[in-house]
Amino acid sequence: MSIELAIVGIVVGAISGFFGVGGGTILVPVLMYLGFDIKEAIGISVVQMVFSSLYGSYLNYKKGSLKVSSTIFFGFGGFLGGLASGYIVHHVSSKTLSYIFLAVILYAIYRFFHAPAESDKPKIENKALFLVIGVMIGIFATSIGIGGALLLTPVMVGFLHYHVKEAVSTALFFVVFSSIAGLVSLSSYGYVDYAHGLLIGVSSLIGVYLGIHLAHKTDPKRHKKMILILNFIILALILNKIFRG
């Protein structure tokens, strides 16, 4: 299965770089299809997210689309929230986690669909608010094996009036904090498969580079539409998996 997982890593990395997500949004359903339990998939996913988010954020910073400043408070909150993920995964059933994952996807599609790609309203910048949002997303998202970018991007675009490309870069930066915290927390409960996680994580770096290169050449409105398409694909995968048991 090593070759298959390496290919999965490259594809997930490209998705991560292009869409500004940690990769867990697609990796968890794919690993479930390959025979992993959702809790095993979540543990592998957080390892991959550490690799893709760190490298992707570095590339975005070099290209000038990542403005750290006050948005780093999203990350601080995500780290605090992510520390609780191991406890939640340990005490919540796999079936319940699957339904939570489904609810997250549905919300993201609804919120992002109604948000403009380029808002004409002034950005809301509030460090305390960013911290609270980060904590809430960190607790919820890392517990289902995603870094939180899937939720943070529509919040930044739909509520805080950020440009879609800046939101995508910030959301990936957020994943650095939430995924590291999730890795620490899930490791303490024995849910991290380091062998498979490292294989996918290292492979994903190739894809991250390609994905970010394409993202910076894509029109904002088209970029938004493609993010919505990704969400619908993930929705279809998780619905099929739930109904097939």
Side-chain angles (χ1 to χ4, degrees):
M1 190 180 286
S2 296
I3 295 176
E4 290 91 337
L5 291 179
I7 294 172
V8 167
I10 294 172
V11 173
V12 169
I15 291 171
S16 177
F18 185 83
F19 295 104
V21 297
T25 47
I26 192 70
L27 182 57
V28 170
V30 168
L31 289 175
M32 290 168 66
Y33 270 92
L34 292 176
F36 292 91
D37 177 75
I38 188 170
K39 294 188 178 184
E40 295 175 318
I42 290 170
I44 294 171
S45 176
V46 294
V47 179
Q48 180 273 324
M49 286 191 292
V50 171
F51 279 85
S52 62
S53 61
L54 277 169
Y55 185 52
S57 294
Y58 166 73
L59 293 176
N60 282 328
Y61 183 78
K62 284 185 64 178
K63 289 179 178 292
S65 62
L66 175 60
K67 312 294 184 184
V68 178
S69 58
S70 60
T71 59
I72 196 172
F73 284 85
F74 285 123
F76 292 155
F79 183 84
L80 294 174
L83 290 175
S85 60
Y87 177 86
I88 294 173
V89 170
H90 187 69
H91 290 88
V92 178
S93 69
S94 295
K95 185 176 182 180
T96 300
L97 287 173
S98 296
Y99 281 113
I100 292 174
F101 194 99
L102 175 61
V104 171
I105 300 297
L106 287 171
Y107 169 77
I109 291 173
Y110 170 78
R111 187 64 250 175
F112 204 70
F113 181 79
H114 293 283
E118 300 177 87
S119 177
D120 55 0
K121 298 179 181 179
K123 292 188 295 186
I124 296 174
E125 301 216 26
N126 185 308
K127 294 177 181 179
L129 177 62
F130 291 175
L131 186 67
V132 172
I133 291 173
V135 169
M136 294 177 64
I137 293 178
I139 290 173
F140 193 66
T142 315
S143 299
I144 55 174
I146 64 177
L150 185 70
L151 289 175
L152 184 56
T153 298
V155 166
M156 291 186 70
V157 174
F159 291 107
L160 304 178
H161 313 304
Y162 274 75
H163 186 286
V164 66
K165 289 192 180 294
E166 190 175 355
V168 165
S169 295
T170 301
L172 186 58
F173 184 52
F174 170 87
V175 177
V176 173
F177 295 84
S178 62
S179 61
I180 290 175
L183 179 62
V184 172
S185 184
L186 290 167
S187 293
S188 67
Y189 284 90
Y191 287 114
V192 178
D193 180 344
Y194 285 99
H196 288 128
L198 288 171
L199 173 61
I200 295 175
V202 173
S203 301
S204 73
L205 299 181
I206 300 171
V208 169
Y209 178 84
L210 297 173
I212 287 180
H213 179 73
L214 290 173
H216 283 272
K217 293 182 175 295
T218 304
D219 175 75
K221 291 183 179 179
R222 179 172 293 183
H223 201 178
K224 179 195 169 186
K225 290 178 181 178
M226 295 180 75
I227 292 173
L228 280 171
I229 291 172
L230 172 68
N231 286 338
F232 278 114
I233 292 172
I234 296 166
L235 175 63
L237 285 172
I238 199 68
L239 278 173
N240 189 41
K241 181 64 179 179
I242 289 174
F243 289 131
R244 289 178 59 188

